[in-house]
Amino acid sequence: MIQHNGHANGHSAPEIPDLTIIGAGPTGLYAAFYAGLRAMSVRIVDSLSEIGGQLTALYPKKYIYDVAGYPKVLAEELVKSLYEQCAQYNPEILTDTKIENLAHEGDLVKLTTSDGRVLYSKTVIIAAGVGAFTPRKLENPELQAWEGKGLYYFVKDPAMFYDKKLLVVGGGDSAMDWAMALGNKSTMTLIHRRDKFVAHEDSVNKVKAMGVPIKTFWELKTIIGENGVIRKAVIFNNKTKEEETLEVDAVLCNLGFLTNLGSIKDWVEIENGGVKVNHAMETSMKGVYAAGDIAWHAAKLKLIATGFGEAATAVCSAYVQVTPGASFFPGHSSTTMEKKEKEGKHQPA
Ligand SMILES: Cc1cc2nc3c(=O)[nH]c(=O)nc-3n(C[C@H](O)[C@H](O)[C@H](O)COP(=O)(O)OP(=O)(O)OC[C@H]3O[C@@H](n4cnc5c(N)ncnc54)[C@H](O)[C@@H]3O)c2cc1C
């Protein structure tokens, strides 16, 4: 799990980067690498707390068979490699940052986040996939009131659950990942409303082997606490209606994600549910490009492989925008990087 906030290698870059990439899915991460290759300063923002887009949020343990150069690769391993590749150029990565608005201000693009922060950039690539992911939340308002006070949908710091009595809710990959990561470090019970898991079988087996009690057909009914601290969780069996009260310090819900194009449709022209782009991945807004699942053109294929190609094109378009007169063609990395390495100008991480 790659959680990040700040510069990949710790050093800081200019406050107004050449390029801001909205979305840290495979397309956004590859765009960050490619922009680094073209010596652009880069900021990546993502609404989620982890990078990797759909690969991390929806199928980290599934193998992907159609990424060039890999006979097969685990989704989470591909994210790790993409991160390492772009980290060579030290992009600034801001997770838990959702972009709510884009507008021109002079020659710059002004990005406003959902919590009111304002970021400026010379150019922008929208690599927002299927839109911002938000965790599916419990609907009961009584339970919602505990959010952030012992009830969590994201793990920002795993250590906060160490030595705690923890109830994990969910049967997908995220629930199993956290059960594997925290099962030996906390006193854990895992409940799932069905007996079928939507997680990788190997992960479920590992959690079982760790001895984590797994209760299927059980759901969370209510949380009991005092002075703003969770003490107990009442769970119920959705078949027998039997109830049980567990002593818990925290509840971690992994109920999947909702996606929403949200305000993106107000920024740029939309066609067929995606951001309309031309051959150079330009959108209807000057200095703003799109790539990956979010981009729409007549020959669209929503695949990781095509997202990489679109990312390279979008970066070269952005590069020419910030470097007037520069060549659109980046040259061959096998030649340009060899030259830079000989001159000591490129030290891969
Ligand atoms: C189960 C499953 C299996 C798949 N298997 C394959 C496969 O085998 N091969 C293949 O090629 N493809 C596969 N795909 C499709 C592939 O995952 C997508 O094509 C790919 O993830 C698109 O990458 P992306 O970077 O464009 O978008 P995404 O991966 O969707 O990432 C976009 C990111 O942008 C962020 N974002 C969105 N809006 C905002 C905003 N306003 N502010 C900040 N952040 C924002 C989101 O949080 C997200 O992290 C699969 C998809 C699924 C669901």
Side-chain angles (χ1 to χ4, degrees), residues 22-28 45-48 53-55 58-59 64 66 97-99 127-133 292-293 302-304:
I22 303 175
T27 306
V45 294
D46 202 295
S47 54
L48 288 177
Q54 293 174 51
L55 285 71
L58 303 179
Y59 60 105
I64 303 168
D66 53 354
T97 304
K98 183 182 173 203
I99 301 302
V130 283
F133 281 90
D293 275 16
K302 288 191 182 183
L303 289 172
I304 295 164

mmCIF file of all heavy atoms in Angstrom, residues 22-28 45-48 53-55 58-59 64 66 97-99 127-133 292-293 302-304, ligand 1:
data_model
loop_
_atom_site.group_PDB
_atom_site.id
_atom_site.type_symbol
_atom_site.label_atom_id
_atom_site.label_comp_id
_atom_site.label_asym_id
_atom_site.label_seq_id
_atom_site.Cartn_x
_atom_site.Cartn_y
_atom_site.Cartn_z
ATOM 1 N N ILE A 22 -4.194 15.466 -12.328
ATOM 2 C CA ILE A 22 -5.330 15.121 -11.457
ATOM 3 C C ILE A 22 -5.583 13.627 -11.619
ATOM 4 O O ILE A 22 -6.059 13.171 -12.653
ATOM 5 C CB ILE A 22 -6.592 15.935 -11.827
ATOM 6 C CG1 ILE A 22 -6.296 17.429 -11.760
ATOM 7 C CG2 ILE A 22 -7.755 15.562 -10.907
ATOM 8 C CD1 ILE A 22 -7.456 18.314 -12.240
ATOM 9 N N GLY A 23 -5.225 12.852 -10.584
ATOM 10 C CA GLY A 23 -5.410 11.408 -10.633
ATOM 11 C C GLY A 23 -4.089 10.676 -10.580
ATOM 12 O O GLY A 23 -3.219 10.884 -11.425
ATOM 13 N N ALA A 24 -3.937 9.824 -9.550
ATOM 14 C CA ALA A 24 -2.704 9.040 -9.396
ATOM 15 C C ALA A 24 -2.947 7.580 -9.728
ATOM 16 O O ALA A 24 -2.433 6.672 -9.087
ATOM 17 C CB ALA A 24 -2.152 9.194 -7.981
ATOM 18 N N GLY A 25 -3.789 7.347 -10.744
ATOM 19 C CA GLY A 25 -3.950 5.996 -11.274
ATOM 20 C C GLY A 25 -2.761 5.687 -12.179
ATOM 21 O O GLY A 25 -1.797 6.463 -12.239
ATOM 22 N N PRO A 26 -2.802 4.559 -12.907
ATOM 23 C CA PRO A 26 -1.647 4.219 -13.754
ATOM 24 C C PRO A 26 -1.334 5.299 -14.781
ATOM 25 O O PRO A 26 -0.160 5.586 -15.046
ATOM 26 C CB PRO A 26 -2.070 2.901 -14.430
ATOM 27 C CG PRO A 26 -3.548 2.795 -14.243
ATOM 28 C CD PRO A 26 -3.872 3.544 -12.992
ATOM 29 N N THR A 27 -2.396 5.934 -15.333
ATOM 30 C CA THR A 27 -2.158 6.969 -16.347
ATOM 31 C C THR A 27 -1.450 8.168 -15.725
ATOM 32 O O THR A 27 -0.466 8.680 -16.267
ATOM 33 C CB THR A 27 -3.504 7.424 -16.959
ATOM 34 O OG1 THR A 27 -4.194 6.267 -17.436
ATOM 35 C CG2 THR A 27 -3.302 8.409 -18.087
ATOM 36 N N GLY A 28 -1.946 8.628 -14.570
ATOM 37 C CA GLY A 28 -1.360 9.793 -13.905
ATOM 38 C C GLY A 28 0.075 9.527 -13.480
ATOM 39 O O GLY A 28 0.956 10.386 -13.624
ATOM 40 N N VAL A 45 -2.215 15.008 -7.783
ATOM 41 C CA VAL A 45 -3.202 15.039 -6.692
ATOM 42 C C VAL A 45 -4.186 13.896 -6.874
ATOM 43 O O VAL A 45 -4.528 13.542 -7.992
ATOM 44 C CB VAL A 45 -3.981 16.381 -6.634
ATOM 45 C CG1 VAL A 45 -3.069 17.524 -6.272
ATOM 46 C CG2 VAL A 45 -4.681 16.676 -7.938
ATOM 47 N N ASP A 46 -4.609 13.328 -5.758
ATOM 48 C CA ASP A 46 -5.640 12.282 -5.837
ATOM 49 C C ASP A 46 -6.565 12.381 -4.629
ATOM 50 O O ASP A 46 -6.124 12.669 -3.513
ATOM 51 C CB ASP A 46 -5.014 10.884 -5.906
ATOM 52 C CG ASP A 46 -5.990 9.881 -6.506
ATOM 53 O OD1 ASP A 46 -7.043 9.609 -5.891
ATOM 54 O OD2 ASP A 46 -5.722 9.390 -7.615
ATOM 55 N N SER A 47 -7.827 12.124 -4.884
ATOM 56 C CA SER A 47 -8.819 12.219 -3.812
ATOM 57 C C SER A 47 -8.670 11.078 -2.801
ATOM 58 O O SER A 47 -9.101 11.194 -1.658
ATOM 59 C CB SER A 47 -10.238 12.197 -4.398
ATOM 60 O OG SER A 47 -10.404 11.062 -5.212
ATOM 61 N N LEU A 48 -8.033 9.982 -3.219
ATOM 62 C CA LEU A 48 -7.874 8.848 -2.301
ATOM 63 C C LEU A 48 -6.627 9.011 -1.434
ATOM 64 O O LEU A 48 -5.774 9.840 -1.729
ATOM 65 C CB LEU A 48 -7.755 7.550 -3.103
ATOM 66 C CG LEU A 48 -9.039 7.067 -3.773
ATOM 67 C CD1 LEU A 48 -8.758 5.812 -4.592
ATOM 68 C CD2 LEU A 48 -10.111 6.784 -2.734
ATOM 69 N N GLY A 53 -5.147 4.422 -8.266
ATOM 70 C CA GLY A 53 -6.459 4.459 -8.923
ATOM 71 C C GLY A 53 -7.223 3.160 -8.762
ATOM 72 O O GLY A 53 -7.217 2.543 -7.685
ATOM 73 N N GLN A 54 -7.842 2.715 -9.857
ATOM 74 C CA GLN A 54 -8.681 1.503 -9.801
ATOM 75 C C GLN A 54 -7.880 0.277 -9.376
ATOM 76 O O GLN A 54 -8.399 -0.622 -8.725
ATOM 77 C CB GLN A 54 -9.307 1.243 -11.184
ATOM 78 C CG GLN A 54 -10.305 2.295 -11.606
ATOM 79 C CD GLN A 54 -10.797 2.088 -13.029
ATOM 80 O OE1 GLN A 54 -11.222 1.000 -13.413
ATOM 81 N NE2 GLN A 54 -10.753 3.143 -13.831
ATOM 82 N N LEU A 55 -6.584 0.247 -9.729
ATOM 83 C CA LEU A 55 -5.765 -0.942 -9.426
ATOM 84 C C LEU A 55 -5.635 -1.150 -7.924
ATOM 85 O O LEU A 55 -5.657 -2.277 -7.436
ATOM 86 C CB LEU A 55 -4.367 -0.812 -10.063
ATOM 87 C CG LEU A 55 -4.294 -1.020 -11.572
ATOM 88 C CD1 LEU A 55 -4.926 0.134 -12.314
ATOM 89 C CD2 LEU A 55 -2.867 -1.207 -12.027
ATOM 90 N N LEU A 58 -9.727 -1.203 -6.416
ATOM 91 C CA LEU A 58 -10.683 -2.239 -6.815
ATOM 92 C C LEU A 58 -10.093 -3.632 -6.989
ATOM 93 O O LEU A 58 -10.784 -4.620 -6.791
ATOM 94 C CB LEU A 58 -11.394 -1.831 -8.116
ATOM 95 C CG LEU A 58 -12.134 -0.493 -8.076
ATOM 96 C CD1 LEU A 58 -12.776 -0.198 -9.425
ATOM 97 C CD2 LEU A 58 -13.206 -0.489 -6.987
ATOM 98 N N TYR A 59 -8.816 -3.725 -7.424
ATOM 99 C CA TYR A 59 -8.322 -5.091 -7.684
ATOM 100 C C TYR A 59 -6.817 -5.252 -7.460
ATOM 101 O O TYR A 59 -6.094 -5.736 -8.319
ATOM 102 C CB TYR A 59 -8.744 -5.553 -9.088
ATOM 103 C CG TYR A 59 -8.248 -4.728 -10.262
ATOM 104 C CD1 TYR A 59 -7.222 -5.190 -11.081
ATOM 105 C CD2 TYR A 59 -8.818 -3.502 -10.578
ATOM 106 C CE1 TYR A 59 -6.775 -4.463 -12.171
ATOM 107 C CE2 TYR A 59 -8.377 -2.767 -11.663
ATOM 108 C CZ TYR A 59 -7.350 -3.246 -12.455
ATOM 109 O OH TYR A 59 -6.908 -2.525 -13.533
ATOM 110 N N ILE A 64 -2.809 -8.767 -14.036
ATOM 111 C CA ILE A 64 -3.122 -8.090 -15.298
ATOM 112 C C ILE A 64 -2.220 -8.740 -16.346
ATOM 113 O O ILE A 64 -1.023 -8.938 -16.110
ATOM 114 C CB ILE A 64 -2.814 -6.576 -15.192
ATOM 115 C CG1 ILE A 64 -3.599 -5.970 -14.021
ATOM 116 C CG2 ILE A 64 -3.148 -5.853 -16.488
ATOM 117 C CD1 ILE A 64 -3.157 -4.568 -13.650
ATOM 118 N N ASP A 66 -2.223 -7.781 -19.828
ATOM 119 C CA ASP A 66 -2.081 -7.070 -21.104
ATOM 120 C C ASP A 66 -1.345 -5.738 -20.956
ATOM 121 O O ASP A 66 -1.644 -4.769 -21.636
ATOM 122 C CB ASP A 66 -3.456 -6.853 -21.755
ATOM 123 C CG ASP A 66 -4.464 -6.180 -20.834
ATOM 124 O OD1 ASP A 66 -4.141 -5.984 -19.646
ATOM 125 O OD2 ASP A 66 -5.568 -5.838 -21.296
ATOM 126 N N THR A 97 -6.722 14.632 -1.649
ATOM 127 C CA THR A 97 -6.898 15.975 -2.220
ATOM 128 C C THR A 97 -7.777 15.877 -3.460
ATOM 129 O O THR A 97 -7.321 15.409 -4.511
ATOM 130 C CB THR A 97 -5.519 16.583 -2.584
ATOM 131 O OG1 THR A 97 -4.698 16.580 -1.408
ATOM 132 C CG2 THR A 97 -5.655 18.007 -3.097
ATOM 133 N N LYS A 98 -9.004 16.313 -3.314
ATOM 134 C CA LYS A 98 -9.937 16.229 -4.447
ATOM 135 C C LYS A 98 -10.048 17.606 -5.110
ATOM 136 O O LYS A 98 -10.269 18.608 -4.431
ATOM 137 C CB LYS A 98 -11.311 15.784 -3.953
ATOM 138 C CG LYS A 98 -12.288 15.608 -5.067
ATOM 139 C CD LYS A 98 -13.650 15.204 -4.550
ATOM 140 C CE LYS A 98 -14.631 15.208 -5.702
ATOM 141 N NZ LYS A 98 -16.000 15.361 -5.262
ATOM 142 N N ILE A 99 -9.872 17.629 -6.422
ATOM 143 C CA ILE A 99 -10.011 18.904 -7.141
ATOM 144 C C ILE A 99 -11.483 19.130 -7.472
ATOM 145 O O ILE A 99 -12.141 18.284 -8.072
ATOM 146 C CB ILE A 99 -9.151 18.912 -8.426
ATOM 147 C CG1 ILE A 99 -7.669 18.687 -8.074
ATOM 148 C CG2 ILE A 99 -9.332 20.229 -9.181
ATOM 149 C CD1 ILE A 99 -7.053 19.700 -7.121
ATOM 150 N N ALA A 127 -6.339 13.074 -15.434
ATOM 151 C CA ALA A 127 -6.195 11.610 -15.553
ATOM 152 C C ALA A 127 -7.074 10.992 -14.464
ATOM 153 O O ALA A 127 -6.625 10.180 -13.661
ATOM 154 C CB ALA A 127 -4.733 11.204 -15.398
ATOM 155 N N ALA A 128 -8.336 11.436 -14.470
ATOM 156 C CA ALA A 128 -9.221 11.159 -13.329
ATOM 157 C C ALA A 128 -10.037 9.878 -13.483
ATOM 158 O O ALA A 128 -10.958 9.632 -12.688
ATOM 159 C CB ALA A 128 -10.144 12.360 -13.113
ATOM 160 N N GLY A 129 -9.700 9.047 -14.469
ATOM 161 C CA GLY A 129 -10.329 7.726 -14.582
ATOM 162 C C GLY A 129 -11.834 7.794 -14.701
ATOM 163 O O GLY A 129 -12.381 8.415 -15.606
ATOM 164 N N VAL A 130 -12.500 7.165 -13.748
ATOM 165 C CA VAL A 130 -13.970 7.163 -13.765
ATOM 166 C C VAL A 130 -14.510 8.230 -12.821
ATOM 167 O O VAL A 130 -15.662 8.201 -12.428
ATOM 168 C CB VAL A 130 -14.524 5.771 -13.391
ATOM 169 C CG1 VAL A 130 -14.407 4.819 -14.568
ATOM 170 C CG2 VAL A 130 -13.794 5.189 -12.183
ATOM 171 N N GLY A 131 -13.635 9.159 -12.423
ATOM 172 C CA GLY A 131 -14.050 10.210 -11.491
ATOM 173 C C GLY A 131 -13.504 9.925 -10.118
ATOM 174 O O GLY A 131 -12.853 8.901 -9.889
ATOM 175 N N ALA A 132 -13.747 10.861 -9.213
ATOM 176 C CA ALA A 132 -13.174 10.725 -7.867
ATOM 177 C C ALA A 132 -13.811 9.549 -7.123
ATOM 178 O O ALA A 132 -15.023 9.364 -7.159
ATOM 179 C CB ALA A 132 -13.400 12.011 -7.097
ATOM 180 N N PHE A 133 -12.964 8.775 -6.484
ATOM 181 C CA PHE A 133 -13.440 7.672 -5.653
ATOM 182 C C PHE A 133 -13.743 8.213 -4.260
ATOM 183 O O PHE A 133 -12.949 8.960 -3.698
ATOM 184 C CB PHE A 133 -12.342 6.622 -5.465
ATOM 185 C CG PHE A 133 -12.161 5.698 -6.628
ATOM 186 C CD1 PHE A 133 -11.279 6.009 -7.648
ATOM 187 C CD2 PHE A 133 -12.854 4.512 -6.699
ATOM 188 C CE1 PHE A 133 -11.087 5.150 -8.717
ATOM 189 C CE2 PHE A 133 -12.671 3.646 -7.755
ATOM 190 C CZ PHE A 133 -11.784 3.965 -8.767
ATOM 191 N N GLY A 292 -6.096 8.657 -20.398
ATOM 192 C CA GLY A 292 -6.591 7.511 -19.631
ATOM 193 C C GLY A 292 -8.096 7.377 -19.737
ATOM 194 O O GLY A 292 -8.735 7.949 -20.628
ATOM 195 N N ASP A 293 -8.675 6.627 -18.807
ATOM 196 C CA ASP A 293 -10.105 6.292 -18.875
ATOM 197 C C ASP A 293 -11.014 7.508 -19.030
ATOM 198 O O ASP A 293 -12.071 7.422 -19.631
ATOM 199 C CB ASP A 293 -10.530 5.534 -17.600
ATOM 200 C CG ASP A 293 -10.266 4.033 -17.701
ATOM 201 O OD1 ASP A 293 -9.498 3.638 -18.603
ATOM 202 O OD2 ASP A 293 -10.808 3.270 -16.883
ATOM 203 N N LYS A 302 -10.511 1.842 -23.240
ATOM 204 C CA LYS A 302 -10.252 2.117 -21.813
ATOM 205 C C LYS A 302 -9.381 1.008 -21.240
ATOM 206 O O LYS A 302 -9.861 0.048 -20.653
ATOM 207 C CB LYS A 302 -11.575 2.225 -21.048
ATOM 208 C CG LYS A 302 -12.338 3.502 -21.366
ATOM 209 C CD LYS A 302 -13.488 3.687 -20.404
ATOM 210 C CE LYS A 302 -14.250 4.943 -20.766
ATOM 211 N NZ LYS A 302 -15.340 5.207 -19.837
ATOM 212 N N LEU A 303 -8.091 1.143 -21.462
ATOM 213 C CA LEU A 303 -7.126 0.143 -20.999
ATOM 214 C C LEU A 303 -5.906 0.842 -20.415
ATOM 215 O O LEU A 303 -5.601 1.988 -20.784
ATOM 216 C CB LEU A 303 -6.668 -0.733 -22.174
ATOM 217 C CG LEU A 303 -7.687 -1.711 -22.747
ATOM 218 C CD1 LEU A 303 -7.142 -2.342 -24.015
ATOM 219 C CD2 LEU A 303 -8.036 -2.794 -21.724
ATOM 220 N N ILE A 304 -5.180 0.121 -19.568
ATOM 221 C CA ILE A 304 -3.964 0.684 -18.978
ATOM 222 C C ILE A 304 -2.953 1.006 -20.086
ATOM 223 O O ILE A 304 -2.355 2.089 -20.104
ATOM 224 C CB ILE A 304 -3.369 -0.328 -17.968
ATOM 225 C CG1 ILE A 304 -4.344 -0.521 -16.801
ATOM 226 C CG2 ILE A 304 -2.009 0.130 -17.477
ATOM 227 C CD1 ILE A 304 -4.072 -1.758 -15.958
HETATM 228 C C1 LIG B 1 -11.798 -5.237 -11.841
HETATM 229 C C2 LIG B 1 -11.068 -4.525 -12.955
HETATM 230 C C3 LIG B 1 -10.119 -5.201 -13.709
HETATM 231 C C4 LIG B 1 -9.425 -4.550 -14.735
HETATM 232 N N1 LIG B 1 -8.508 -5.253 -15.460
HETATM 233 C C5 LIG B 1 -7.806 -4.632 -16.451
HETATM 234 C C6 LIG B 1 -6.843 -5.333 -17.231
HETATM 235 O O1 LIG B 1 -6.635 -6.531 -17.050
HETATM 236 N N2 LIG B 1 -6.170 -4.628 -18.190
HETATM 237 C C7 LIG B 1 -6.389 -3.290 -18.450
HETATM 238 O O2 LIG B 1 -5.720 -2.716 -19.306
HETATM 239 N N3 LIG B 1 -7.318 -2.616 -17.723
HETATM 240 C C8 LIG B 1 -8.033 -3.239 -16.744
HETATM 241 N N4 LIG B 1 -8.980 -2.554 -16.033
HETATM 242 C C9 LIG B 1 -9.197 -1.124 -16.376
HETATM 243 C C10 LIG B 1 -8.075 -0.261 -15.788
HETATM 244 O O3 LIG B 1 -8.024 -0.443 -14.385
HETATM 245 C C11 LIG B 1 -8.318 1.188 -16.148
HETATM 246 O O4 LIG B 1 -8.297 1.325 -17.551
HETATM 247 C C12 LIG B 1 -7.240 2.070 -15.518
HETATM 248 O O5 LIG B 1 -7.286 2.002 -14.107
HETATM 249 C C13 LIG B 1 -7.420 3.525 -15.945
HETATM 250 O O6 LIG B 1 -6.395 4.250 -15.345
HETATM 251 P P1 LIG B 1 -6.530 5.822 -15.081
HETATM 252 O O7 LIG B 1 -5.260 6.219 -14.404
HETATM 253 O O8 LIG B 1 -6.923 6.477 -16.342
HETATM 254 O O9 LIG B 1 -7.771 5.974 -14.072
HETATM 255 P P2 LIG B 1 -8.022 5.382 -12.605
HETATM 256 O O10 LIG B 1 -7.286 4.117 -12.387
HETATM 257 O O11 LIG B 1 -9.508 5.349 -12.464
HETATM 258 O O12 LIG B 1 -7.427 6.486 -11.635
HETATM 259 C C14 LIG B 1 -7.991 7.759 -11.591
HETATM 260 C C15 LIG B 1 -7.671 8.424 -10.265
HETATM 261 O O13 LIG B 1 -8.128 9.776 -10.322
HETATM 262 C C16 LIG B 1 -8.621 10.152 -9.045
HETATM 263 N N5 LIG B 1 -9.529 11.275 -9.219
HETATM 264 C C17 LIG B 1 -10.663 11.315 -9.957
HETATM 265 N N6 LIG B 1 -11.249 12.537 -9.894
HETATM 266 C C18 LIG B 1 -10.457 13.277 -9.083
HETATM 267 C C19 LIG B 1 -10.530 14.619 -8.613
HETATM 268 N N7 LIG B 1 -11.525 15.429 -8.970
HETATM 269 N N8 LIG B 1 -9.563 15.049 -7.775
HETATM 270 C C20 LIG B 1 -8.547 14.228 -7.389
HETATM 271 N N9 LIG B 1 -8.446 12.939 -7.805
HETATM 272 C C21 LIG B 1 -9.382 12.482 -8.643
HETATM 273 C C22 LIG B 1 -9.312 8.887 -8.545
HETATM 274 O O14 LIG B 1 -9.411 8.890 -7.118
HETATM 275 C C23 LIG B 1 -8.367 7.783 -9.064
HETATM 276 O O15 LIG B 1 -7.415 7.416 -8.089
HETATM 277 C C24 LIG B 1 -9.698 -3.172 -15.011
HETATM 278 C C25 LIG B 1 -10.646 -2.486 -14.253
HETATM 279 C C26 LIG B 1 -11.329 -3.146 -13.237
HETATM 280 C C27 LIG B 1 -12.346 -2.384 -12.420
#
